[in-house]
Amino acid sequence: MLILLVEDDSVLAAQTIDFLNAEGIDVDYAATLASAKEIAAKNAAFDEYDAIVLDMALPDGNALSLMQQTLAGFDAPVLFCTAATALDDKLAAFDAGALDYLTKPFALPELAVRIKLLTGKVSKQNQVFELGDLHIDFSAKIARRGGRTIVLSPQQWQLLALLAEQAPAPVSKVQILRHIWPDSEVNNNMYKSLITRLRHNLSRGDEASVIHTLKGQGVALRETTP
């Protein structure tokens, strides 16, 4: 998942980006309306993003103008994350097309959940995920492939949920490390071992591998292509 964050508080932006990265959400960042417009021009369209998070009061103007002009006609859902608490500000944001509004100060976990809800990509830990003959019920912690039940460790469940959330797109090594070991230094052997164990548990015998390591991109949960 990729979002655009437009926020002029550099400290808050850094904290937000670090937290969202650990949640498997990649972030492009702009501190001003002008920077956001440059990113839009460079990327051709804001449709590149799964969601856009906007502060309202920015150094070079009000983000409502970005909503009404540059973002007009684009599909990426917008969440305002701002210190503006007045009802008129909230109504103006929704009138401009925003789908959600979060006032500062806020908890980063709440922001992450709101983004996932907004994009329709809420963690599959409460859902069923299927890939070919692989069937995973994250709420019940049951995984089956063909006629066999798959037994996974807690860390393997964490990794599988992260991969399923972004499947078939790859998840970077940095994202995996931050998600599985957020407060620990991890050597490369621990990382490789976790990937190998999950790959082995999901694919036995003649079963095609569904865990793929993509050079320079990360790890992806997807079917093997011929």
Side-chain angles (χ1 to χ4, degrees):
M1 185 192 305
L2 175 64
I3 74 162
L4 172 65
L5 172 66
V6 184
E7 167 62 60
D8 66 324
D9 184 330
S10 59
V11 174
L12 176 59
Q15 294 172 342
T16 301
I17 292 169
D18 285 345
F19 186 87
L20 294 180
N21 285 167
E23 289 291 309
I25 301 173
D26 291 324
V27 181
D28 279 351
Y29 172 61
T32 64
L33 295 181
S35 296
K37 292 176 181 178
E38 287 178 9
I39 291 174
K42 182 178 180 181
N43 290 349
F46 274 95
D47 285 358
E48 299 259 343
Y49 298 104
D50 295 291
I52 300 168
V53 178
L54 295 178
D55 189 6
M56 185 169 285
L58 295 163
D60 52 347
N62 192 305
L64 285 173
S65 65
L66 189 71
M67 282 283 298
Q68 295 161 342
Q69 299 170 19
T70 308
L71 298 183
F74 292 105
D75 294 329
V78 174
L79 183 159
F80 270 94
C81 190
T82 171
T85 59
L87 177 59
D88 287 346
D89 290 320
K90 296 178 182 179
L91 293 178
F94 288 122
D95 284 344
L99 295 185
D100 201 358
Y101 196 101
L102 181 62
T103 56
K104 299 176 181 178
F106 58 88
L108 289 172
E110 180 181 0
L111 175 62
V113 169
R114 284 175 181 259
I115 290 171
K116 292 176 183 179
L117 286 171
L118 196 62
T119 61
K121 294 182 178 179
V122 180
S123 173
K124 291 182 171 64
Q125 290 180 357
N126 297 318
Q127 301 178 18
V128 170
F129 178 86
E130 293 185 337
L131 182 67
D133 60 351
L134 176 64
H135 179 94
I136 306 165
D137 185 334
F138 284 100
S139 59
K141 288 289 193 296
I142 296 173
R144 293 191 178 93
R145 187 166 189 188
R148 69 182 180 91
T149 298
I150 301 169
V151 178
L152 301 174
S153 70
Q155 282 189 343
Q156 289 174 46
W157 274 112
Q158 281 184 279
L159 176 57
L160 183 58
L162 178 63
L163 296 176
E165 184 174 343
Q166 296 198 43
V171 181
S172 71
K173 180 179 178 180
V174 171
Q175 290 176 357
I176 293 173
L177 294 178
R178 288 177 174 171
H179 186 78
I180 306 297
W181 298 281
D183 302 313
S184 305
E185 291 188 8
V186 180
N187 61 51
N188 200 47
N189 288 336
M190 293 173 63
Y191 168 78
K192 286 185 175 180
S193 177
L194 178 60
I195 303 297
T196 299
R197 292 198 309 271
L198 181 60
R199 180 184 288 115
H200 174 74
N201 284 331
L202 295 183
S203 304
R204 298 283 182 89
D206 295 333
E207 295 170 341
S209 179
V210 292
I211 299 292
H212 303 274
T213 301
L214 308 177
K215 187 174 181 180
Q217 299 181 62
V219 181
L221 178 63
R222 59 175 68 163
E223 291 186 283
T224 300
T225 54

